[in-house]
Amino acid sequence: MSKPNDKKTMIKLCPETPLLSLPNENNSFNPALLNMSKIKVVKKELQHRYRRHRILAFLQGLYSCHWKRYQWREIEIGACCCLRGEQIFFTFLLLTFCISFVFLYMWLEAKNDYGGFDAFVFQFTKQWFYWSFFLVIIASIMFTYVLLLMMIGLCLLTEGQQPHLHWSNKIGILLVLSICIFGMVAVTLFYEEKWKAAELSLQMTAPYLHIFGICLMVAFSWPMGLYFAKLNGAALVEKKQRQSGNVKDSRKIKRIRAIQFISLISFLVVLLIIYTIPLGISSPCIRENKTLARKPTFIGHRGAPMLAPENTQMSFEKAIEHGATGLETDVTLSYDGVPFLMHDYTLRRTTNIHEIMPTSSHLPSSMFTWQTLETLNSGQWFFKAQPFKFMEPLTKEDELKAKNQSVMKLSNFLRLANRENKLVIFDLYRPPKKHPYRDKWIIRVLEVILNEVGMKSHLVLWLPGQFRADVQMMAPDFKQVLGTKLPLSELLRMKINGLNLAYKDIDSKDIKEFEKYGIFTNIYVINEPWLYSLAWCAGVHSVTTNTIHILKKIKRPFFFMTPKEYMLKWLLLDFISAIVIVLVFFYHWWREKGWYELLVKKKSPVFPMSGVTDVEENTEEIQNQDENNENQEEIPVSPSPSDEKNPGDFWESLLEMKSKNLKMTRSLSTESVIGSNDEDMPEMSSLSLENSKNDPSCEKISKPSALQKFC
């Protein structure tokens, strides 16, 4: 490009054009000094600001099925955001969001009991299915649907659009609300302990729910800041119009400021509540390192039921292989008085009784003789049903061994535990009426333990509560274990050595109190790492589990932190989020204030032109130039065909003026920038050159080919 003082590139300016005022020397301008890249950047920014209709159309279509712009209704500043009916349904939307979140959270935290829930449903459906996993998927879909609707509604409000929820979405909201309420009622009636599990999980997840809440408020600060800034800009416009005497209603500014104040205070109150939530959080895993108890030992729940069929020889061997210190099982008596291992009331779920004796599969398992029971297969169902969703694949050798498992006698179970020096604990089921051993089932089991097997007495954790005093007399070395929590004085009177409690009864204070008097605590059934971590932090001595192969890998409790670490993370997170929220609000205020000031002054933005000399970015100078050019005649320009189709092609005329090097003012209306198309630039340039040649008021431009090449 030539030097600025090259006279071959110095082009005469036409003094009659009032469109753009450029610095010149001797009424000449060098186009090499004009950097058009920044003008194009401004053009893109303006197009980005005004061309948002596709996104709004998409949001309006999803929310209200209004895909056409003429169907949209803008919110009048100072008026209500929507109709009364829409307000009611938006309230239902918020309520459904909260309930669906609670329902989803409850089922996600109930993952520890998915297997037990599926087995519970199997008793009624007689078909094995992952009902728990299916319900989690349904709850996730419902929550996501409601969350998207609420986010779209908030986005429409921040964009100044009245939300009109479509009737199909209204039906969907009511359907989701009904399903969630029905599910919660059903859980309360049939599976009430799941609420306790969800409540217990808050001791572990509350610090992280606090983080999630802060992140949600930071994300929500973007539309909130935009809405606040728009209200502020609207108030500035109303104030200016009131000063000029164009506004008769003086209360409109007060209404805008009232809405602005209420929205901001509501946002800050919610934010303050979330910031102070940690003051009410109490978690056993927030403690000093030296106060952490030893790692709880493992008792295999029916062996290792995720690695082999439950209550079989292979299952207990797998539990011992993975480091179990004890084995748990369920004992019932056959019709001829042989104690065997079976959890269910019938044989249908864990044996092939429906294939061998289909007409008798509904009978209680204790109504069959041992001669019949020992012929049943207890391993094939494990591969057909796959009772756990995420089971590790077995080797071919283990798979063949598992398929050939049979019903296990209590005596064989005790011999295995006695040989491996493992603790045993079991539930003992009383036979039904008309059973020969209905009133002698405890005596028969004691005979097997003491006489037939010769079990080491200190390895037996006696759990059955019936005739406990008699059992203590017959086997005083048995460790007496109680399945319910009683006052300490009552436990000492009954000579209880340990407690076997459900995980919903975890209480670190009680556990420490019982431990002082030599009473240990075992918690069942613990399958999830977070729940095992909670039991560890609470000081539990042992846990009964299905997932011993997973829990044994945990070296440190999850979510464990010292009070100082938690305090530091809490304060640091609050400080960073507060800074981000302030910056978001300031950014929206700064951006919207600039545009509304331009509206008030009825001036368009000044385009930066780096490289142009002797240009002072001064509004007064531009106004003076406008006044000096008022008496000048304008150059008649023949209309372009594109002007008739698109009034926004004025940007091309700006580039045309650059190619002709005419003197223009800097006033460019914002509307003239919208809809410009760079593809029409060559055509406009050539047409403008043609017009300039025919215009007698302008001097001809030297070397037009070089100028066209420059453009």
Side-chain angles (χ1 to χ4, degrees):
M1 191 166 289
S2 302
K3 297 180 180 179
N5 58 1
D6 190 356
K7 293 185 177 180
K8 294 182 180 180
T9 59
M10 301 295 285
I11 305 172
K12 286 290 184 179
L13 297 175
C14 185
E16 290 81 6
T17 306
L19 292 178
L20 182 62
S21 177
L22 296 174
N24 61 85
E25 295 180 1
N26 299 325
N27 204 25
S28 298
F29 169 67
N30 184 6
L33 298 176
L34 183 60
N35 186 357
M36 298 299 295
S37 60
K38 290 194 174 183
I39 297 181
K40 293 181 179 180
V41 170
V42 175
K43 170 191 171 183
K44 291 181 180 179
E45 291 179 355
L46 292 175
Q47 289 177 341
H48 177 72
R49 177 175 178 83
Y50 286 96
R51 291 184 177 179
R52 293 179 295 180
H53 304 319
R54 293 181 180 177
I55 299 177
L56 279 179
F58 179 72
L59 297 179
Q60 286 277 16
L62 293 179
Y63 192 84
S64 56
C65 204
H66 290 170
W67 300 95
K68 304 296 183 181
R69 187 173 180 181
Y70 69 85
Q71 298 175 314
W72 307 348
R73 296 292 182 271
E74 293 187 356
I75 301 175
E76 182 181 355
I77 300 297
C80 185
C81 61
C82 54
L83 301 177
R84 186 174 299 275
E86 297 300 324
Q87 295 177 15
I88 295 175
F89 266 98
F90 197 80
T91 304
F92 270 101
L93 181 61
L94 292 176
L95 178 64
T96 306
F97 169 77
C98 297
I99 294 179
S100 61
F101 174 75
V102 173
F103 186 68
L104 175 61
Y105 179 81
M106 185 267 296
W107 273 110
L108 288 176
E109 295 304 322
K111 184 181 177 182
N112 185 80
D113 302 312
Y114 282 178
F117 178 79
D118 295 337
F120 175 77
V121 178
F122 177 84
Q123 299 177 9
F124 304 96
T125 61
K126 306 303 180 184
Q127 297 292 331
W128 190 267
F129 184 71
Y130 298 116
W131 292 105
S132 54
F133 192 72
F134 174 75
L135 288 176
V136 169
I137 294 176
I138 296 298
S140 302
I141 292 174
M142 293 190 302
F143 174 74
T144 304
Y145 168 70
V146 175
L147 177 62
L148 287 177
L149 281 182
M150 192 176 70
M151 292 179 62
I152 291 174
L154 292 175
C155 290
L156 292 177
L157 288 175
T158 56
E159 289 296 330
Q161 301 293 323
Q162 290 188 12
H164 294 278
L165 194 63
H166 194 255
W167 62 266
S168 59
N169 286 328
K170 292 179 180 178
I171 294 177
I173 290 173
L174 295 177
L175 184 62
V176 170
L177 183 62
S178 303
I179 293 175
C180 291
I181 293 177
F182 175 79
M184 289 181 176
V185 172
V187 169
T188 303
L189 294 178
F190 301 103
Y191 231 56
E192 187 177 0
E193 59 268 21
K194 296 305 160 221
W195 290 115
K196 184 65 177 179
E199 179 183 351
L200 192 65
S201 67
L202 291 176
Q203 297 183 22
M204 300 294 295
T205 59
Y208 299 90
L209 289 177
H210 170 240
I211 296 176
F212 171 76
I214 290 180
C215 295
L216 193 64
M217 292 301 294
V218 171
F220 183 65
S221 67
W222 184 268
M224 188 65 194
L226 179 60
Y227 181 67
F228 180 83
K230 285 188 173 183
L231 289 176
N232 185 67
L236 293 176
V237 174
E238 292 294 329
K239 183 178 180 181
K240 184 67 176 179
Q241 292 180 354
R242 182 182 177 185
Q243 292 175 354
S244 61
N246 297 329
V247 179
K248 297 181 180 180
D249 187 6
S250 61
R251 295 175 299 178
K252 192 171 184 180
I253 298 178
K254 294 182 179 180
R255 289 198 299 268
I256 295 175
R257 292 301 186 187
I259 295 174
Q260 193 178 18
F261 176 77
I262 293 173
S263 59
L264 181 61
I265 290 299
S266 301
F267 177 81
L268 293 179
V269 167
V270 175
L271 184 63
L272 182 62
I273 292 174
I274 294 178
Y275 278 167
T276 56
I277 278 179
L279 295 176
I281 293 177
S282 176
S283 174
C285 285
I286 301 178
R287 59 170 62 239
E288 298 293 343
N289 290 317
K290 60 183 180 180
T291 62
L292 182 64
R294 63 176 181 83
K295 185 177 180 179
T297 57
F298 301 106
I299 296 179
H301 183 239
R302 307 173 201 168
M306 292 189 70
L307 303 176
E310 65 180 55
N311 282 331
T312 60
Q313 179 88 13
M314 180 180 178
S315 181
F316 296 114
E317 290 175 350
K318 286 290 183 181
I320 295 172
E321 178 183 336
H322 285 278
T325 58
L327 303 174
E328 187 273 346
T329 187
D330 309 276
V331 180
T332 187
L333 266 69
S334 66
Y335 196 77
D336 51 353
V338 177
F340 66 98
L341 311 185
M342 182 61 57
H343 174 267
D344 294 1
Y345 183 71
T346 66
L347 301 170
R348 183 177 181 86
R349 182 177 67 91
T350 58
T351 68
N352 60 342
I353 186 67
H354 57 283
E355 298 176 359
I356 298 178
M357 305 174 64
T359 58
S360 302
S361 60
H362 65 283
L363 295 177
S365 58
S366 57
M367 299 303 291
F368 293 88
T369 62
W370 177 247
Q371 185 178 2
T372 302
L373 293 171
E374 65 180 353
T375 62
L376 300 177
N377 184 285
S378 295
Q380 293 179 355
W381 74 275
F382 181 74
F383 298 94
K384 295 179 180 179
Q386 293 187 348
F388 298 93
K389 181 64 178 176
F390 304 101
M391 295 171 51
E392 294 184 0
L394 302 180
T395 62
K396 292 184 178 180
E397 181 180 356
D398 287 343
E399 184 177 346
L400 181 62
K401 183 178 180 181
K403 288 181 178 180
N404 293 317
Q405 294 296 303
S406 58
V407 179
M408 191 175 189
K409 294 171 66 173
L410 175 62
S411 58
N412 294 336
F413 167 75
L414 295 175
R415 290 189 182 95
L416 174 64
N418 200 31
R419 183 174 65 251
E420 299 292 339
N421 201 32
K422 301 298 180 182
L423 298 171
V424 296
I425 183 172
F426 52 84
D427 290 312
L428 181 57
Y429 300 137
R430 187 178 185 180
K433 295 179 179 180
K434 299 182 179 180
H435 192 282
Y437 290 87
R438 176 173 173 79
D439 298 325
K440 297 181 292 185
W441 85 105
I442 291 182
I443 299 299
R444 182 69 185 100
V445 170
L446 288 175
E447 289 177 355
V448 173
I449 296 175
L450 298 175
N451 301 330
E452 187 175 338
V453 176
M455 184 73 179
K456 301 172 185 176
S457 298
H458 69 277
L459 296 178
V460 178
L461 306 179
W462 186 261
L463 182 60
Q466 300 91 338
F467 307 104
R468 185 180 296 274
D470 297 333
V471 173
Q472 288 177 329
M473 292 178 60
M474 297 177 63
D477 294 333
F478 284 2
K479 293 182 179 180
Q480 297 296 320
V481 179
L482 192 63
T484 57
K485 188 186 297 186
L486 294 177
L488 181 60
S489 58
E490 188 69 16
L491 296 177
L492 295 176
R493 184 189 64 82
M494 297 173 62
K495 298 180 181 180
I496 298 299
N497 303 110
L499 294 174
N500 186 54
L501 304 176
Y503 65 82
K504 63 183 180 66
D505 295 324
I506 293 178
D507 191 322
S508 58
K509 293 182 180 180
D510 292 342
I511 292 173
K512 291 180 180 179
E513 186 67 20
F514 296 147
E515 186 179 10
K516 293 179 181 178
Y517 294 89
I519 300 176
F520 67 88
T521 306
N522 179 71
I523 301 296
Y524 69 92
V525 173
I526 303 285
N527 297 324
E528 289 298 305
W530 71 265
L531 195 53
Y532 177 73
S533 300
L534 179 62
W536 186 350
C537 295
V540 171
H541 301 87
S542 61
V543 297
T544 303
T545 179
N546 295 324
T547 57
I548 185 174
H549 59 294
I550 296 175
L551 300 185
K552 73 173 186 177
K553 299 177 183 179
I554 299 177
K555 305 300 181 182
R556 180 182 173 90
F558 289 5
F559 315 115
F560 179 79
M561 65 185 79
T562 64
K564 290 183 179 180
E565 292 175 348
Y566 180 56
M567 182 68 66
L568 179 62
K569 292 179 181 178
W570 168 31
L571 296 178
L572 184 62
L573 179 64
D574 288 356
F575 177 76
I576 294 176
S577 62
I579 293 296
V580 172
I581 291 173
V582 170
L583 291 177
V584 167
F585 270 77
F586 177 78
Y587 169 75
H588 284 301
W589 172 83
W590 169 77
R591 191 182 68 168
E592 294 296 329
K593 186 175 183 296
W595 286 105
Y596 277 107
E597 284 181 350
L598 292 173
L599 277 175
V600 171
K601 295 180 180 179
K602 297 183 179 180
K603 295 290 182 180
S604 56
V606 179
F607 296 108
M609 301 183 188
S610 62
V612 181
T613 60
D614 299 333
V615 178
E616 294 183 4
E617 299 297 332
N618 195 311
T619 307
E620 295 180 359
E621 181 182 351
I622 296 174
Q623 291 176 353
N624 294 333
Q625 292 175 359
D626 292 340
E627 293 175 358
N628 295 333
N629 294 330
E630 284 180 356
N631 299 326
Q632 297 180 1
E633 296 180 0
E634 297 184 358
I635 300 176
V637 181
S638 59
S640 172
S642 60
D643 292 339
E644 299 177 0
K645 296 179 182 179
N646 189 357
D649 286 338
F650 185 67
W651 185 269
E652 282 75 7
S653 42
L654 172 62
L655 299 178
E656 174 192 348
M657 294 302 104
K658 171 186 176 294
S659 65
K660 295 170 63 177
N661 290 277
L662 300 175
K663 180 179 179 181
M664 298 179 287
T665 64
R666 285 179 151 210
S667 305
L668 293 177
S669 64
T670 306
E671 296 179 356
S672 64
V673 181
I674 305 172
S676 62
N677 191 354
D678 293 335
E679 296 177 358
D680 299 336
M681 199 179 302
E683 181 182 352
M684 291 296 299
S685 301
S686 60
L687 183 60
S688 302
L689 287 172
E690 228 175 272
N691 292 335
S692 64
K693 291 178 183 179
N694 299 329
D695 193 349
S697 62
C698 294
E699 298 182 13
K700 291 186 178 181
I701 304 174
S702 62
K703 296 186 178 182
S705 60
L707 181 59
Q708 291 178 4
K709 183 178 180 181
F710 173 79
C711 293

